[in-house]
Amino acid sequence: MGSWRKAYGALKDSTKVGLAKVNSEFKELDIAIVKATNHVECPPKERHVRKILLATSANRPRADLSYCIYALSRRLSKTKNWIVALKTLIVVHRLLREGDPMFKEEFLAYSSRGNILHIANFKDDSSQSAWDCSAWIRAYGCFLEERLECLRVLRYDIETERLVRYPQTSSKVHSKTRTLPSPELLEQLPALQQLLFRVVGVQPEGAACSNYLIQYALALVLKESFKIYCSINDGIINLVDMFFEMPKYDAINALAIYKRAGLQAENLAEFYDFCKQLELARTFQFPTLSHPHRFLQRWKSTSEKHPDPRSRVRRARSRSY
């Protein structure tokens, strides 16, 4: 049965390539997409991904970008094969990570008209291992959806964010969240925390744990998790510094964000411990996670300037009214 599925998949791929050569106005792009997302159980070949990246670069017409997104969306929505679905999501992820900012803008605009990564009902029930892989693919799709939503809220991509020194005399670099004003910080931190929640949600189970293609995609998620966590940590430090100056309602939200950060640090540490047992761990240098409770020292040192915290709360309440 497995050999028959492979032969049938190869036939479908070759047929689509043949049709693209004859009928498509975007022949080269269509062929690259089919070949990058074929039925062969291995990561998308780099030369095909590079062709797609080139076809969606800034010097190409906007129509090319729109068509690429449409073609990938169509490929994802029509397939019932977990390999094709996963390779399509990997290509999308690579484009979001490495593609031109213009492509990301177009992707956001396209997704606002319809959720092109929504694969909550996707399943390949051809075997038990395909079933386990399908479950992981749905979780991966949720992560990519949340990544888009985070990009929409933040209005910048933390993966390509340029880190800065703060203060200027320091040798340590920080994320943008380290210097954000309170209103923007209270908007962006929940979005980042929700994205980190989706990161932890991609922990594979069953046959998916040992699958090489899934570990390849998981590695992409792991790479992003490092910056997401650092961005949240820098934001928490900033939040603690501003806490006693916040109005009551903002202070309540800040406290909820702080508590969630503590739980997420523990969950992420467990997730990293799990990933260290996988084959992909050989190529990774996992960071040492700093629990947000260490920021209590900063909180305490700040509160020493305000010996009566209740008076601070009363003043915060009066400002909020």
Side-chain angles (χ1 to χ4, degrees):
M1 188 66 178
S3 300
W4 181 87
R5 277 176 60 84
K6 288 180 181 179
Y8 178 64
L11 179 62
K12 287 181 71 175
D13 292 335
S14 61
T15 301
K16 285 182 179 295
V17 169
L19 289 171
K21 288 179 179 178
V22 175
N23 298 326
S24 177
E25 295 180 20
F26 300 88
K27 179 173 65 175
E28 302 229 347
L29 180 56
D30 268 327
I31 292 172
I33 289 174
V34 172
K35 288 186 174 181
T37 63
N38 61 21
H39 290 72
V40 181
E41 193 176 333
C42 67
K45 288 189 176 178
E46 194 63 25
R47 67 175 181 270
H48 303 316
V49 176
R50 288 292 158 195
K51 283 182 181 178
I52 300 170
L53 282 167
L54 183 62
T56 55
S57 57
N59 60 349
R60 301 300 289 266
R62 197 97 180 188
D64 288 20
L65 276 63
S66 297
Y67 180 78
C68 179
I69 297 167
Y70 162 75
L72 288 168
S73 175
R74 181 183 59 190
R75 184 76 160 154
L76 186 61
S77 64
K78 289 187 176 296
T79 187
K80 299 297 180 185
N81 184 282
W82 74 266
I83 298 172
V84 175
L86 179 52
K87 291 174 80 167
T88 304
L89 290 178
I90 289 172
V91 170
V92 170
H93 197 176
R94 290 280 307 272
L95 288 169
L96 290 174
R97 283 173 56 83
E98 305 165 37
D100 191 89
M102 189 71 72
F103 173 81
K104 298 177 186 179
E105 289 179 19
E106 189 67 22
F107 207 104
L108 278 174
Y110 199 99
S111 64
S112 66
R113 300 192 291 268
N115 200 337
I116 62 178
L117 297 176
H118 187 65
I119 53 172
N121 298 320
F122 174 81
K123 64 176 179 178
D124 180 343
D125 53 8
S126 59
S127 66
Q128 180 60 50
S129 62
W131 183 273
D132 290 343
C133 292
S134 296
W136 192 86
I137 288 167
R138 292 193 294 271
Y140 186 37
C142 286
F143 165 77
L144 292 177
E145 282 180 341
E146 204 63 57
R147 193 187 192 285
L148 278 175
E149 180 59 26
C150 197
L151 182 60
R152 184 178 286 112
V153 172
L154 271 59
R155 296 177 290 280
Y156 67 91
D157 190 347
I158 61 170
E159 185 59 28
T160 57
E161 174 197 6
R162 189 174 180 179
L163 301 180
V164 296
R165 298 188 189 282
Y166 179 82
Q168 299 301 321
T169 55
S170 172
S171 60
K172 187 177 179 182
V173 293
H174 296 280
S175 304
K176 191 174 182 179
T177 51
R178 183 65 183 86
T179 57
L180 283 178
S182 175
E184 291 181 44
L185 191 62
L186 290 172
E187 179 188 16
Q188 292 189 16
L189 276 179
L192 286 165
Q193 289 184 322
Q194 186 61 23
L195 182 57
L196 190 61
F197 170 77
R198 293 298 185 188
V199 167
V200 177
V202 299
Q203 180 170 318
E205 296 180 355
C209 292
S210 56
N211 185 275
Y212 177 73
L213 184 55
I214 283 180
Q215 289 200 31
Y216 175 89
L218 179 60
L220 296 178
V221 178
L222 276 172
K223 287 176 183 177
E224 300 212 1
S225 72
F226 304 157
K227 274 200 169 181
I228 296 167
Y229 180 76
C230 289
S231 191
I232 291 173
N233 255 13
D234 284 339
I236 293 295
I237 294 173
N238 192 9
L239 204 64
V240 169
D241 286 342
M242 295 187 292
F243 181 79
F244 289 102
E245 302 302 324
M246 289 181 179
K248 176 189 172 185
Y249 181 76
D250 287 350
I252 291 172
N253 287 338
L255 190 58
I257 290 169
Y258 177 84
K259 288 179 178 178
R260 191 181 190 194
L263 292 173
Q264 286 197 310
E266 295 172 3
N267 293 337
L268 188 61
E270 292 173 4
F271 177 61
Y272 283 166
D273 287 341
F274 172 86
C275 291
K276 287 174 184 176
Q277 303 169 30
L278 303 177
E279 186 69 21
L280 63 83
R282 295 184 179 184
T283 60
F284 271 94
Q285 182 69 41
F286 288 86
T288 301
L289 301 184
S290 301
H291 197 286
H293 286 338
R294 73 185 177 88
F295 302 138
L296 281 175
Q297 282 302 117
R298 180 185 294 269
W299 197 307
K300 287 176 181 177
S301 65
T302 305
S303 63
E304 285 173 1
K305 301 174 185 177
H306 313 291
D308 184 3
R310 288 174 296 179
S311 67
R312 300 293 302 173
V313 172
R314 284 196 295 271
R315 283 199 289 274
R317 285 176 179 169
S318 66
R319 284 199 300 272
S320 66
Y321 298 142

